Amino acid sequence: MKEETKDSALGIDKYKQTLSKYALDVDTEKVREAVQNIIREKVLENDTPDVKKFLLGSIEHTSLHVTDTEEEILSIVERLNKFGNTYPTLPHVAAICVYPRFTHLVSQSLEVDNIEITTVCGGFPAAQTFAEIKVAETALAVADGSTEIDTVLPLGMFLSEDYEGIADEIAEIKDACAGRPLKVILETGCLKNLSQVKEAAILAMYSGADYIKTSTGKEKIGATPEAVYVMCQAIRDYYEETGIQIGIKPAGGINSVMDAIVYYTIVKEILGEKWLTNKWFRIGTSRLTDLLINELTASC
């Protein structure tokens, strides 16, 4: 029997009651100004080899193309297997991120112990399929060796304010993760404003997300500094309210080393040093690995 969502005495929707604990009315202009101040005053001090090494070690090296083949995915894995010998002074990436059908291949061929296997599940990227299929896909990915799961917040439900449906679905997917971390993608570029970004972030965390992630990379607008700033505020507020630490993963349209340094700086300024490990800070990208390697090896 589904848990009652109304307080029997007060008639208050428990999800709206939870959201009411947080300041959800976000002033877009103030956020833009704050982001510009951070970029102007703080980014330069983080443009260092040590930060770039940290960023390299925080990457989820991603291949999510409709044309992906087993040969291409295996080529990525083989390169990661050889990485330590090729670049002995550089850290490995944190994870490889693939579609479910490649999880078993990656699991069987990856030889580096400390690289996670992230699988996008739940009808990625639209999430417009049956909850049962989302759960089954997640369970199959875990059985095939996935160590982390990325799924998409069902935006149709969110825009219809079906908070119970979202919470139930995320909770079921989290159960299917069997203890593996669950990252919930907000697809911030499809939300109407930054207030919705914060609301979606709080709802995802309340529903069981271990990380919140900006984007699938499949929409016109991916990660933006403003969205990451607001997501960091939501994580901070949620941590202060619950004591639960949630990770953050900017992804989608991260095309330069400076883009990554900007996101690093925002996380550092809003959330602090406690989040500056590759357990709590990830970057989803297909381009940044080579860009960082080129800069780091050129400076040696």
Side-chain angles (χ1 to χ4, degrees):
M1 182 175 179
K2 191 175 286 187
E3 180 187 355
E4 284 292 329
T5 62
K6 300 284 186 180
D7 184 289
S8 57
L10 300 177
I12 299 172
D13 183 289
K14 71 175 183 179
Y15 303 104
K16 291 184 177 179
Q17 188 175 33
T18 296
L19 291 169
S20 72
K21 298 176 183 178
Y22 302 92
L24 299 180
D25 187 11
V26 178
D27 188 317
T28 298
E29 288 306 314
K30 287 185 178 179
V31 169
R32 287 175 180 162
E33 182 180 352
V35 167
Q36 289 306 309
N37 286 339
I38 288 174
I39 292 173
R40 184 173 57 252
E41 298 172 8
K42 299 293 184 179
V43 164
L44 185 60
E45 68 189 45
N46 294 318
D47 187 3
T48 67
D50 284 345
V51 169
K52 291 172 186 176
K53 284 184 179 181
F54 170 79
L55 290 169
L56 179 60
S58 299
I59 285 175
E60 295 197 12
H61 190 83
T62 301
S63 190
L64 296 172
H65 306 293
V66 69
T67 55
D68 282 344
T69 65
E70 290 189 354
E71 291 77 13
E72 289 168 335
I73 299 301
L74 187 58
S75 177
I76 293 171
V77 174
E78 288 175 346
R79 186 183 176 199
L80 295 179
N81 287 340
K82 296 174 182 176
F83 190 92
N85 291 328
T86 308
Y87 304 105
T89 63
L90 299 181
H92 286 286
V93 299
I96 178 171
C97 181
V98 295
Y99 278 116
R101 70 175 294 254
F102 299 114
T103 302
H104 186 261
L105 174 66
V106 174
S107 176
Q108 293 301 302
S109 55
L110 185 64
E111 298 170 358
V112 184
D113 291 337
N114 59 349
I115 295 180
E116 304 293 344
I117 303 170
T118 300
T119 305
V120 292
C121 292
F124 180 95
Q128 297 281 24
T129 189
F130 303 104
E132 293 85 353
I133 290 175
K134 295 181 182 185
V135 171
E137 187 176 54
T138 302
L140 288 168
V142 168
D144 275 351
S146 181
T147 61
E148 298 183 350
I149 298 294
D150 283 15
T151 195
V152 182
L153 186 85
L155 288 189
M157 288 184 185
F158 177 76
L159 295 172
S160 299
E161 297 188 5
D162 183 5
Y163 302 139
E164 181 179 13
I166 291 170
D168 287 348
E169 192 169 278
I170 291 176
E172 289 177 14
I173 293 170
K174 187 175 175 69
D175 283 346
C177 290
R180 280 78 169 170
L182 174 65
K183 307 186 200 84
V184 175
I185 304 164
L186 307 184
E187 201 67 285
T188 55
C190 291
L191 298 176
K192 296 175 182 178
N193 50 53
L194 293 176
S195 294
Q196 284 195 342
V197 170
K198 188 166 186 183
E199 182 179 342
I202 296 293
L203 186 60
M205 292 186 286
Y206 174 76
S207 300
D210 298 295
Y211 292 74
I212 50 176
K213 175 180 171 182
T214 54
S215 319
T216 61
K218 302 303 182 182
E219 297 293 331
K220 291 181 179 179
I221 301 175
T224 66
E226 291 77 15
V228 171
Y229 182 95
V230 171
M231 289 166 67
C232 285
Q233 287 185 317
I235 289 170
R236 180 197 61 199
D237 294 352
Y238 191 76
Y239 181 69
E240 289 174 354
E241 176 69 28
T242 67
I244 299 171
Q245 187 170 1
I246 302 295
I248 186 161
K249 180 181 173 181
I254 301 175
N255 296 318
S256 71
V257 172
M258 186 51 65
D259 287 343
I261 293 172
V262 167
Y263 292 127
Y264 169 93
T265 305
I266 291 170
V267 172
K268 181 179 180 181
E269 293 301 312
I270 304 301
L271 293 174
E273 297 285 343
K274 189 172 184 177
W275 269 262
L276 296 181
T277 75
N278 73 355
K279 178 179 179 180
W280 300 112
F281 178 81
R282 296 284 182 81
I283 301 175
T285 176
S286 59
R287 303 179 183 93
L288 191 61
T289 306
D290 285 337
L291 294 174
L292 281 165
I293 290 170
N294 290 340
E295 288 205 14
L296 288 164
T297 53
S299 64
C300 292

